[in-house]
Amino acid sequence: MTAALLSMTLLLGASLSQVPPGASPSDEFARVDRWIQEWQPTAADRRFEEIGWAKDIPEALKLARQHGRPVFVFTHKGRINLGRQ
Amino acid sequence: MSMRAGPLSDDKVIALLNSSFVPVYAPYTSEETQGVVSTEQEKEIQRIWREVLEKKLPYGMVHVYLLEPATGSVFDSLGVVKASVTNNLLELLGKATDRFKVKAGKTLVKPARQVFPSKVPTEALLLHLTARDVGFLKPGVFEPRARDCVQGSWREFASENAVVLEKAEWMKLTPPTGQKTWTVSQDVVSKFLIYFYPMVEQNVVSHHRVNDAPLKASIVSTDNGITRIRLEGTLALKRIQEPDAIFVEAPLAGYLDYDSARRRILAFRLMTENGKCGGRSFGVALRSVPPAEWAGSETKE
């Protein structure tokens, strides 16, 4: 994954830094569009979102009582849903 | 974040949590999460921690806890170091389903995007940011690592932010009357440029300070009432605790399309391809999000 990202960066970086003199603005904006598109989170990045997370602990407790399921609580620092602090 | 990159991305763990548990993640109140954790949520976290101490179960702030279905009392727990090993977590979950004879069923809460706010004000502009660490600037065995641009599981997935600009804010991105080039308002660029950084530990975003006038705008064309505006500049991000040290340097490039008749931003794009943070390189993509993409997401803010 990291290697793939690195090679993508190098390729895109090369294409961006080697803009031919006189390149049209539309070429410049097309490169921005391509970068934005390719930089989006992948399905692998977003596996965490395949879990049906309850909104908060009070909601989880309510659902647990209704459906007879244990609650799985992960307490943590930072913002796990954003992937950073 | 080793939990997210590890067991919480594993097929078996995902299936078990969805079919037999009510999963919830719970950031506790800290400098990094000010304004994020509700009073009710914090009260429950404190209650769980208290109970665990009373029951002499393994305890920690970054920790997995299992609560009984009927009472919500804690009956088992596992520290993050052990829980980050998928088999350890599967064993913990398996013991719990046996104990309560849980019958696997459907997922109780529909999986959804966890990044976007559940509500966005009318006429606001929602921006989505994706940041990725792309490695050392000078790869090598003896390459020293920057103090807080650490290597680890933070780098194993993209980090994201959602930024909401109210109409009064995004209007400051649009052309001032009679001008073809201008510097974009510091207030509004600071709202999104503070998130132009890679994955780092022990970081408080509210400490970030954006350099003066980092983003310039110029009208490139106007076609059928749509004005294409080029955005370019250089970000030099500092932090209040180290006011003389540059935390992040990043070239910026992008554009926005503005419909002056309807007074709407149709598209906003901004990127940095080779930002620098300590000894590491990173990239960021920032884009406007069409309402159809976020509408109806029942997510945490």
Side-chain angles (χ1 to χ4, degrees):
Chain A
M1 176 69 182
T2 304
L5 275 173
L6 188 57
S7 62
M8 183 170 79
T9 305
L10 291 173
L11 281 171
L12 284 171
S15 67
L16 284 159
S17 60
Q18 294 170 15
V19 178
S24 72
S26 60
D27 291 342
E28 175 191 338
F29 299 134
R31 278 191 297 275
V32 171
D33 282 340
R34 193 169 74 240
W35 171 274
I36 299 276
Q37 189 177 353
E38 296 192 11
W39 212 242
Q40 294 307 301
T42 63
D45 291 326
R46 293 176 46 189
R47 295 227 62 195
F48 173 80
E49 294 182 334
E50 293 175 28
I51 296 168
W53 296 106
K55 185 182 156 205
D56 53 24
I57 299 174
E59 182 190 87
L61 292 172
K62 192 175 157 191
L63 287 168
R65 278 194 299 275
Q66 285 172 351
H67 297 274
R69 290 189 187 180
V71 178
F72 168 94
V73 184
F74 179 49
T75 62
H76 61 88
K77 189 177 184 185
R79 310 288 305 278
I80 195 171
N81 56 323
L82 305 181
R84 59 153 122 207
Q85 300 189 27
Chain B
M1 296 297 161
S2 55
M3 282 291 284
R4 176 167 165 173
L8 296 180
S9 291
D10 177 82
D11 284 342
K12 286 181 185 168
V13 172
I14 292 171
L16 197 50
L17 287 177
N18 280 339
S19 66
S20 304
F21 289 82
V22 185
V24 61
Y25 58 88
Y28 57 82
T29 300
S30 65
E31 211 176 5
E32 295 91 339
T33 56
Q34 274 180 4
V36 171
V37 185
S38 70
T39 309
E40 295 77 18
Q41 176 88 335
E42 185 60 28
K43 215 165 102 181
E44 283 297 336
I45 293 172
Q46 295 296 334
R47 189 265 301 172
I48 290 167
W49 287 347
R50 225 174 19 249
E51 264 191 49
V52 165
L53 288 173
E54 286 164 9
K55 293 180 177 177
K56 300 190 187 317
L57 288 166
Y59 161 88
M61 296 176 84
V62 183
H63 215 87
V64 170
Y65 298 101
L66 299 182
L67 315 184
E68 291 181 5
T71 64
S73 296
V74 186
F75 66 90
D76 210 347
S77 74
L78 194 64
V80 68
V81 175
K82 288 183 180 171
S84 294
V85 177
T86 299
N87 284 342
N88 291 343
L89 190 62
L90 285 169
E91 189 185 341
L92 180 84
L93 299 178
K95 279 195 311 191
T97 55
D98 289 347
R99 175 173 174 162
F100 293 100
K101 298 182 174 48
V102 180
K103 285 185 183 170
K106 63 173 187 175
T107 306
L108 298 178
V109 179
K110 188 180 169 190
R113 287 292 268 142
Q114 300 293 305
V115 174
F116 299 136
S118 52
K119 287 176 189 164
V120 177
T122 311
E123 296 194 297
L125 180 70
L126 177 63
L127 302 177
H128 174 244
L129 180 146
T130 306
R132 293 178 188 279
D133 184 304
V134 290
F136 289 113
L137 292 167
K138 297 175 190 168
V141 177
F142 302 107
E143 180 70 19
R145 293 176 188 177
R147 181 170 54 82
D148 52 1
C149 293
V150 295
Q151 188 171 15
S153 64
W154 290 88
R155 298 188 304 117
E156 293 177 24
F157 50 87
S159 61
E160 302 172 78
N161 289 97
V163 179
V164 177
L165 298 182
E166 301 269 6
K167 186 174 183 182
E169 293 171 321
W170 62 252
M171 281 298 290
K172 293 179 182 174
L173 295 167
T174 64
T177 309
Q179 292 188 39
K180 290 200 169 179
T181 62
W182 67 98
T183 298
V184 184
S185 156
Q186 189 76 10
D187 291 350
V188 71
V189 293
S190 292
K191 286 208 75 167
F192 49 79
L193 290 180
I194 56 169
Y195 297 107
F196 275 55
Y197 67 100
M199 300 65 131
V200 292
E201 296 267 14
Q202 308 293 339
N203 187 59
V204 180
V205 175
S206 62
H207 290 175
H208 292 183
R209 293 293 178 268
V210 171
N211 56 311
D212 288 338
L215 197 60
K216 313 283 185 199
S218 54
I219 294 176
V220 178
S221 62
T222 301
D223 188 17
N224 288 327
I226 311 298
T227 303
R228 169 65 58 98
I229 297 159
R230 176 190 286 118
L231 301 170
E232 58 192 338
T234 305
L235 171 66
L237 201 58
K238 294 182 180 179
R239 293 183 291 189
I240 54 174
Q241 65 271 36
E242 296 174 281
D244 298 323
I246 290 178
F247 170 49
V248 156
E249 284 179 284
L252 306 167
Y255 70 87
L256 72 87
D257 288 335
Y258 178 56
D259 181 338
S260 52
R262 294 164 64 203
R263 294 167 72 86
R264 291 180 63 183
I265 288 180
L266 304 179
F268 179 93
R269 308 274 185 270
L270 189 65
M271 53 168 268
T272 188
E273 54 170 327
N274 53 1
K276 296 175 180 62
C277 176
R280 303 195 69 85
S281 178
F282 70 98
V284 170
L286 180 68
R287 67 185 175 95
S288 51
V289 181
E293 191 178 329
W294 55 260
S297 3
E298 294 293 328
T299 60
K300 298 180 186 187
E301 296 173 33

